[in-house]
Amino acid sequence: MNHKAFTRLLTLILLAFVISPSSLLGQDKSFTWPDGKKIAISFSWDDGRESQVKVGTPILDKYGVKATFYIVPSLTLGAKDGWQKAADNGHELANHTLMHPCSGNFLWARGNALEGYDLKKMEAELLEANKEIEKLYGVKTNDFAYPCGQTFVNRGTETRSYVPVVAKNFVSGRTWLDEVPNDPAFCDLAQLTGVEMDNKSMEDIMALIEMTRKDGLWLVLAGHDIGENGVIQTTHAEMLEKLLPYLLENSNEIWVAPVGEIADYVKQQRGF
């Protein structure tokens, strides 16, 4: 083989390594889920809406599935007994701030817009929300979800990401309206993807599960209300009644657990 041919062959080998699917995905095939599981799934809901404990947790409890509820403490007070029961039954109550700050482009958020926050104010609010959750329900949380999935504070040249604040104070932070599951060997635990399950059919969710199964990933499903079909920002109770038995039937391959439990496992497996 002449020098030119050898150089060309070496280039092709190196190129194949650099752009192979596994390198593009950043996957580490040495990562393993516990007990021979192939994938992981977490159910999560935001805000602390009443339907979550009036409609949702009875369905979850019927099938023994534990979920994560990212709550704004003040929003849970109208169904406090239901939220205490959820906590006592092993569901995770996690942090979703005190005031649910989002961009002021959401007109309802204009009074506490992210554009008016700085990092110090945001950190203070997150820590106070942790205290309120513990005071109300006797549980501590290491997990957080970004309201509206937005990770910034302030505006213009003063704009800052508050992801580092979340990384400093929590094991995990979940975003919103993402399109892909998390690679447990690669993902940033402070920016876990949250894939919408509101207004999705069983077929829609099964397509997400198959995407997750293909590469052994972690699917964090995210929703808001739980109830009847056709209502905006609502996870269909009918879909859950179909999905949960399927997950139990396939529990030898699918690990279903709250976000915090799986995040702790991923952190331990990755050694940090």
Side-chain angles (χ1 to χ4, degrees):
M1 181 182 297
N2 61 37
H3 178 73
K4 183 176 181 180
F6 176 77
T7 301
R8 183 172 182 273
L9 177 61
L10 183 60
T11 300
L12 290 172
I13 292 172
L14 291 173
L15 187 61
F17 174 77
V18 170
I19 66 172
S20 66
S22 60
S23 65
L24 284 173
L25 291 171
Q27 290 176 322
D28 179 356
K29 295 305 181 183
S30 67
F31 186 94
T32 57
W33 293 114
D35 304 320
K37 308 292 187 187
K38 305 299 184 185
I39 66 172
I41 296 176
S42 295
F43 289 91
S44 66
W45 284 274
D46 291 1
D47 301 339
R49 302 187 185 193
E50 194 169 295
S51 66
Q52 294 168 7
V53 291
K54 288 201 168 182
V55 179
T57 52
I59 297 173
L60 295 166
D61 292 343
K62 180 167 68 171
Y63 296 103
V65 171
K66 308 305 178 186
T68 297
F69 295 92
Y70 296 103
I71 63 172
V72 174
S74 61
L75 296 182
T76 67
L77 298 180
K80 191 172 183 296
D81 290 346
W83 284 106
Q84 188 62 66
K85 182 178 179 181
D88 293 344
N89 284 348
H91 296 290
E92 179 183 23
L93 304 189
N95 191 318
H96 202 46
T97 74
L98 288 177
M99 303 298 294
H100 201 286
C102 293
S103 168
N105 290 304
F106 292 102
L107 298 185
W108 49 262
R110 189 65 61 83
N112 53 291
L114 285 168
E115 289 85 348
Y117 275 67
D118 59 21
L119 294 178
K120 184 177 180 180
K121 179 179 178 180
M122 179 58 76
E123 184 168 28
E125 179 166 336
L126 298 184
L127 295 177
E128 187 61 30
N130 273 359
K131 291 178 183 178
E132 282 295 305
I133 292 169
E134 184 174 7
K135 178 182 175 181
L136 286 170
Y137 301 111
V139 296
K140 294 184 178 182
T141 183
N142 290 312
D143 302 283
F144 174 75
Y146 299 89
C148 300
Q150 295 173 317
T151 61
F152 73 92
V153 295
N154 224 309
R155 60 169 68 231
T157 59
E158 298 303 311
T159 303
R160 299 290 184 270
S161 168
Y162 75 94
V163 172
V165 173
V166 171
K168 172 186 171 185
N169 292 288
F170 298 90
V171 172
S172 75
R174 197 220 70 208
T175 56
W176 164 240
L177 288 181
D178 297 296
E179 298 181 9
V180 294
N182 298 278
D183 179 349
F186 178 81
C187 65
D188 179 358
L189 288 175
Q191 298 183 82
L192 293 174
T193 60
V195 181
E196 185 179 24
M197 64 177 154
D198 286 343
N199 304 108
K200 296 291 194 297
S201 67
M202 176 67 171
E203 291 73 22
D204 294 330
I205 302 299
M206 285 303 301
L208 293 171
I209 291 174
E210 290 310 309
M211 180 194 305
T212 305
R213 191 194 308 271
K214 181 176 178 292
D215 291 303
L217 305 179
W218 173 19
L219 176 63
V220 180
L221 293 166
H224 292 85
D225 275 305
I226 304 173
E228 296 182 4
N229 299 9
V231 182
I232 191 170
Q233 276 202 329
T234 297
T235 299
H236 300 164
E238 178 183 345
M239 181 276 290
L240 289 176
E241 290 280 9
K242 295 176 182 176
L243 177 60
L244 299 181
Y246 167 82
L247 295 176
L248 291 180
E249 290 168 7
N250 291 274
S251 60
N252 60 318
E253 291 190 349
I254 303 174
W255 181 24
V256 182
V259 174
E261 183 177 342
I262 296 180
D264 286 341
Y265 176 83
V266 170
K267 181 178 179 180
Q268 180 183 37
Q269 285 293 103
R270 285 165 53 173
F272 65 87

